[in-house]
Amino acid sequence: GAVVSQHPSRVICKSGTSVKIECRSLDFQATTMFWYRQFPKQSLMLMATSNEGSKATYEQGVEKDKFLINHASLTLSTLTVTSAHPEDSSFYICSARDGASGSYEQFFGPGTRLTVL
Amino acid sequence: AQTVTQSQPEMSVQEAETVTLSCTYDTSESDYYLFWYKQPPSRQMILVIRQEAYKQQNATENRFSVNFQKAAKSFSLKISDSQLGDAAMYFCAYRSRSNDYKLSFGAGTTVTVRA
């Protein structure tokens, strides 16, 4: 089955620093990737959609300068949290869609827990 | 954006018994997809079952089945013969037939299975 990995699984950083989270599709080409944010015991909130080779589309209320998304290849998308603050602490999940297969399904990564001190 | 409502924050079920999770949604579209995802303590999202709106037949995957009522905009999930491994948070999700492939999730229902 299709596998999506995320790295790192956990990261702790100091306030004011930037953190990069990688999302990789391991056995398929991900034409579209999605980034979600999830607070404890809450639902997934879509942050942005990225298509390979083009700029990400951000959901309303998500600061594009704060959450930089790059989808430079068909197997890798990155989310960079710039100048992180404690309120950015959350669980970040990516998902990817295999455009070549025409599949309806999104395949989810295992998530990254970000803690900003 | 479409609204997905899960009105049951928590549900508890005895092992081997059946539990039904409710989900309603709001849309003006006639064709769309509906999904149930499971998120166990590991936080890995797992697709449980999907339903295409144009199909009248309710989807079934082993012990998991749905009751899709299109006119009522209702999409409930039934877990039969509940097992300890079914304990997780369950999310109902909606996806338009359009090309954006975005998922709208409900708030989730935490299922506890009693041994």
Side-chain angles (χ1 to χ4, degrees):
Chain A
V3 179
V4 175
S5 69
Q6 278 185 244
H7 179 79
S9 58
R10 292 172 181 261
V11 58
I12 300 173
C13 69
K14 293 182 178 180
S15 185
T17 61
S18 294
V19 174
K20 180 182 286 188
I21 301 169
E22 293 185 348
C23 176
R24 293 182 185 272
S25 57
L26 300 186
D27 49 6
F28 67 98
Q29 293 185 327
T31 50
T32 307
M33 286 184 167
F34 304 87
W35 286 95
Y36 298 87
R37 183 174 183 177
Q38 185 181 32
F39 291 106
K41 297 190 176 182
Q42 293 189 24
S43 188
L44 281 70
M45 182 193 78
L46 179 65
M47 299 175 66
T49 304
S50 73
N51 292 294
E52 186 266 337
S54 61
K55 289 185 178 181
T57 302
Y58 291 80
E59 295 299 302
Q60 191 172 6
V62 177
E63 299 176 61
K64 60 181 66 176
D65 295 330
K66 174 76 167 176
F67 300 99
L68 300 179
I69 292 171
N70 184 278
H71 192 164
S73 79
L74 283 171
T75 58
L76 173 66
S77 177
T78 60
L79 167 67
T80 302
V81 183
T82 62
S83 186
H85 291 285
E87 58 266 29
D88 298 324
S89 297
S90 189
F91 193 68
Y92 293 88
I93 303 174
C94 74
S95 70
R97 176 181 162 265
D98 181 355
S101 73
S103 172
Y104 62 86
E105 189 172 354
Q106 287 186 25
F107 302 98
F108 286 83
T112 297
R113 183 179 302 282
L114 170 63
T115 302
V116 184
L117 302 176
Chain B
Q2 281 72 21
T3 302
V4 180
T5 302
Q6 293 179 250
S7 58
Q8 305 153 316
E10 297 179 353
M11 293 287 282
S12 181
V13 61
Q14 188 73 37
E15 196 175 7
E17 297 294 312
T18 296
V19 64
T20 300
L21 311 183
S22 67
C23 172
T24 58
Y25 56 94
D26 183 27
T27 185
S28 58
E29 299 174 329
S30 60
D31 201 10
Y32 45 87
Y33 293 105
L34 295 165
F35 305 86
W36 279 97
Y37 283 90
K38 171 184 177 181
Q39 188 179 43
S42 68
R43 307 291 291 270
Q44 174 72 57
M45 295 286 285
I46 301 166
L47 177 64
V48 174
I49 200 166
R50 73 164 179 128
Q51 176 81 40
E52 292 164 278
Y54 69 87
K55 291 186 178 179
Q56 292 186 337
Q57 187 173 6
N58 289 324
T60 299
E61 288 287 343
N62 300 314
R63 297 181 296 106
F64 298 88
S65 61
V66 298
N67 184 1
F68 173 49
Q69 300 291 324
K70 190 173 184 179
K73 295 180 183 176
S74 171
F75 183 61
S76 62
L77 174 70
K78 184 170 77 173
I79 306 174
S80 303
D81 185 26
S82 296
Q83 300 176 0
L84 295 177
D86 295 333
M89 197 158 186
Y90 287 79
F91 293 99
C92 179
Y94 174 103
R95 203 208 93 189
S96 171
R97 269 266 190 188
S98 68
N99 290 331
D100 65 8
Y101 294 92
K102 294 181 185 179
L103 290 171
S104 297
F105 286 93
T109 297
T110 299
V111 172
T112 304
V113 182
R114 305 186 305 273

